[in-house]
């Protein structure tokens, strides 16, 4: 793979049933490009959790993916309310998701911890009332 | 364990995926909480759940889960079935409840991610 493959997705905020559509496409693209199955899965799980977060908390956003042979970089940008306390949000089991989201199988407070677990680097840039940008990197070792 | 054996053990019915019944499953997880499913990778696992929505299929897709079992007689709607067809993930339904379903599969040698 010589050149960087770039992907862009607009994530709708009002349709929970479609959440995960972008993650699925990213996963299938990485698979087609011949990346190792566990790397593909790690990226897919992390982006899926982040995409779900985007739909639940921020009314959607955009996802940009840069695929290089040695590193996958995913930037998820939303214009949501921001995260007041990142340290608290990183705690397993802590969640601010509403009850209707829990009924759908999410909101267990595992989103951010899971994202961190499956990526090599995770950077959260958040401003209250402006939005959150999460940058994820997974290296192809 | 093959998917078709699993169907027999659970007295289940195949909602979709007659073509995938010869797939092997080596591990199992049972949960209605998809974030908990996403927390632990298991190779070639079956997912048992009482939750019925498209995110079950999407979670299975991300995790490379080989088969989904809906417990307590729950049946997915057509949008969920279509998604599973597209992602090539067989769907099984059983009238057994979660505890009994897991117990039967455990009894037949299937284990969780940690091997116990």
């Amino acid at each position: 793979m010589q050149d960087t493959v770039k992907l862009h997705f607009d994530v709708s905020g009002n349709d929970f049933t479609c959440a995960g559509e972008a993650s699925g496409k990213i996963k299938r693209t990485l698979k087609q490009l011949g990346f190792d199955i566990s790397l593909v899965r790690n990226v897919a799980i992390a982006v899926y959790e982040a995409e779900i977060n985007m739909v639940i908390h921020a009314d959607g956003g955009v996802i940009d993916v840069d695929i290089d042979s040695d590193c996958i970089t995913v930037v998820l940008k939303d214009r949501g309310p921001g995260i007041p306390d990142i340290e608290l949000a990183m705690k397993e089991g802590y969640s601010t998701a509403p009850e209707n989201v829990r009924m759908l199988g999410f909101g267990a407070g595992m989103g951010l911890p899971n994202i961190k677990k499956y990526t090599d680097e995770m950077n959260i840039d958040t401003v209250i009332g402006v939005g959150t940008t999460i940058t994820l990197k997974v290296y192809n070792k | 364990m093959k998917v078709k054996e699993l169907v027999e053990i659970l007295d289940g019915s195949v909602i979709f995926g007659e073509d995938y019944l010869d797939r092997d499953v080596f591990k199992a997880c049972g949960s209605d909480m998809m974030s908990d499913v996403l927390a632990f990778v298991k190779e070639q696992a079956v997912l048992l759940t009482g939750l019925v929505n498209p995110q079950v299929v999407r979670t299975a897709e991300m995790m490379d889960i080989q088969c989904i079992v809906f417990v307590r007689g729950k049946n997915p709607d057509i949008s969920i079935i279509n998604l599973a067809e597209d992602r090539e993930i067989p769907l099984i339904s059983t009238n057994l409840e979660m505890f009994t379903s897991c117990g039967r599969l455990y009894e037949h040698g299937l284990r969780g991610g940690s091997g116990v």
Side-chain angles (χ1 to χ4, degrees):
Chain A
M1 209 174 105
Q2 298 283 317
D3 303 315
T4 303
V5 175
K6 286 179 181 289
L7 305 173
H8 174 85
F9 302 93
D10 292 306
V11 177
S12 162
N14 52 25
D15 191 356
F16 191 77
T17 60
C18 285
E21 197 60 31
S23 311
K25 282 181 184 152
I26 293 166
K27 183 175 187 195
R28 291 193 289 279
T29 304
L30 291 173
K31 219 169 158 181
Q32 279 163 9
L33 290 169
F35 283 97
D36 171 71
I37 185 165
S38 71
L39 176 141
V40 173
R41 192 161 48 204
N42 288 351
V43 174
I45 297 168
V47 179
Y48 179 51
E49 285 278 21
E51 187 181 354
I52 293 276
N53 272 350
M54 211 175 219
V55 174
I56 294 173
H57 297 290
D59 200 27
V62 292
I63 304 178
D64 283 283
V65 190
D66 278 11
I67 305 168
D68 290 299
S69 54
D70 60 343
C71 182
I72 321 296
T73 307
V74 186
V75 180
L76 302 103
K77 194 177 168 90
D78 69 54
R79 292 176 186 279
I83 306 168
D85 187 338
I86 293 178
E87 207 180 321
L88 191 57
M90 284 302 301
K91 265 179 100 167
E92 287 189 9
Y94 178 80
S95 176
T96 58
E99 188 56 32
N100 64 330
V101 168
R102 291 170 204 239
M103 298 286 288
L104 294 164
F106 289 88
M110 293 301 290
L112 286 176
N114 275 352
I115 295 168
K116 191 174 175 62
K117 178 177 168 180
Y118 290 109
T119 54
D120 293 311
E121 287 177 31
M122 175 180 83
N123 183 60
I124 303 175
D125 187 5
T126 187
V127 180
I128 299 301
V130 178
T132 300
T133 299
I134 297 187
T135 305
L136 310 175
K137 281 183 189 288
V138 176
Y139 294 104
N140 186 20
K141 287 156 235 161
Chain B
M1 181 184 293
K2 301 271 185 207
V3 171
K4 63 183 172 197
E5 295 171 59
L6 181 150
V7 176
E8 266 178 44
I9 292 165
L10 297 176
D11 297 320
S13 54
V14 181
I15 301 164
F16 157 74
E18 292 287 349
D19 294 344
Y20 306 117
L21 299 183
D22 277 322
R23 271 188 193 173
D24 285 307
V25 292
F26 297 124
K27 299 283 180 183
C29 58
S31 182
D32 292 352
M33 200 40 107
M34 293 302 109
S35 276
D36 285 343
V37 176
L38 290 162
F40 302 100
V41 168
K42 299 175 177 69
E43 293 301 330
Q44 288 193 262
V46 50
L47 168 63
L48 297 100
T49 187
L51 188 71
V52 185
N53 69 46
Q55 297 310 331
V56 174
V57 179
R58 294 191 193 277
T59 298
E61 176 191 8
M62 304 310 159
M63 299 295 281
D64 296 318
I65 278 170
Q66 300 295 304
C67 170
I68 298 169
V69 177
F70 295 105
V71 298
R72 305 195 292 272
K74 295 198 173 181
N75 276 301
D77 66 23
I78 190 70
S79 68
I80 299 173
I81 297 169
N82 288 341
L83 190 62
E85 284 176 5
D86 188 62
R87 305 304 197 260
E88 300 181 349
I89 302 170
L91 303 179
I92 312 299
S93 178
T94 175
N95 284 325
L96 301 176
E97 60 189 47
M98 176 72 93
F99 181 80
T100 312
S101 302
C102 293
R104 282 202 188 178
L105 294 180
Y106 192 93
E107 204 174 36
H108 283 82
L110 214 53
R111 294 291 179 264
S114 57
V116 291

